[in-house]
Amino acid sequence: MTTQDQRTPARLGDQRALLFDLDGVLTPTADVHMRAWSRLFTPYLAAHGADPYTEQDYFAHIDGKPRYDGVRSLLASRGIELPEGTPDDDPEADTVCGLGNRKNAEFTAELDEHGVEPYPGSLAFLTAAIAAGLDVAVVSSSANATSVLRTAGILDRFPVVVDGLVARQDGLAGKPAPDTYLDAASRFGRTAAECVVVEDATSGVEAGRNGAFGLVVGVDRGAGADALREHGADVVVTDLADLLADLPRPAASTTEADGRGRAAPPVRP
């Protein structure tokens, strides 16, 4: 078996699309989310006499999941049961959806106050991937993906964004189910085998494995390299710039633009 046939970084040279998670992969919004979840659950758990909220709770119960699933998982870890409610619940409602909506309000406040910029290494990798003619999409459980991408100044780089709002509208199961990633691939007319999933959450790399994608890249921002590999990552890096040399060569400068402000990818069989 050659290196190109193995699930190594060299396989990037044969793939057709990169499907990026957002928070913790392209932007450090995981930090914003972590602060927002802490602002929600620190007083809530204290008021209910439960064990205090910790940073590890974020990685163990929340990271990468749709918001209401994260609420449900965290509450279950403390033996707290609440009515489900509906997505229209007031943020002050004592329901799963109410707490999820309260967390969203906390996230918006954090984003407005502090803003967000892309990771330099991720921006370099994204720029090189687009220059090489690869399709790029964002696949995020967050309902705030578009606003985060806009704040970070990279929304126009992505012709496809499959976020929490799209998943809810189209009835797509959240990670670790592969549905949202498969949906993004289909929007490019690509098979899963032609696409790379790039994730920082264990639930996200598991989604990549469950969908039989061509390569699953884990970006270790705190989940741990061993945990990412255990859940499905083929390759683990701490910075996407480490994979720049494994991308295909840039498309020829004489290639016509494809209407999205980048060189059109070469015709492939």
Side-chain angles (χ1 to χ4, degrees), residues 6 19-20 56 86 107 127 129 161 166 254 263:
Q6 298 170 7
L19 311 179
F20 295 91
Q56 187 55 39
T86 70
F107 175 85
T127 300
V161 176
V166 172
T254 55

Side-chain angles (χ1 to χ4, degrees), residues 152-252:
I154 55 175
L155 178 60
D156 62 346
R157 307 277 187 111
F158 295 98
V160 169
V161 176
V162 178
D163 62 5
L165 296 177
V166 172
R168 188 183 312 159
Q169 175 183 313
D170 294 350
L172 302 173
K175 306 168 188 177
D179 301 38
T180 50
Y181 276 113
L182 292 171
D183 182 77
S186 71
R187 292 172 188 246
F188 290 125
R190 302 297 187 190
T191 65
E194 295 177 300
C195 301
V196 179
V197 165
V198 187
E199 269 281 357
D200 72 313
T202 55
S203 59
V205 294
E206 189 173 347
R209 179 177 63 186
N210 291 340
F213 283 85
L215 190 70
V216 181
V217 174
V219 184
D220 184 11
R221 307 285 192 194
D226 290 343
L228 290 169
R229 290 191 182 94
E230 179 183 344
H231 283 81
D234 301 308
V235 175
V236 176
V237 295
T238 57
D239 193 317
L240 285 176
D242 295 343
L243 298 176
L244 281 168
D246 296 292
L247 287 170
R249 291 188 176 185

Side-chain angles (χ1 to χ4, degrees), residues 24 29 32 51 70-71 74 99 107 110 134 142 146 180 184 186 193 207 209 219-220 257:
T29 31
V32 183
D51 289 342
V71 171
L74 190 284
L99 286 180
F107 175 85
E110 286 279 349
L134 295 176
S142 174
T146 297
T180 50
S186 71
R209 179 177 63 186
V219 184
D220 184 11

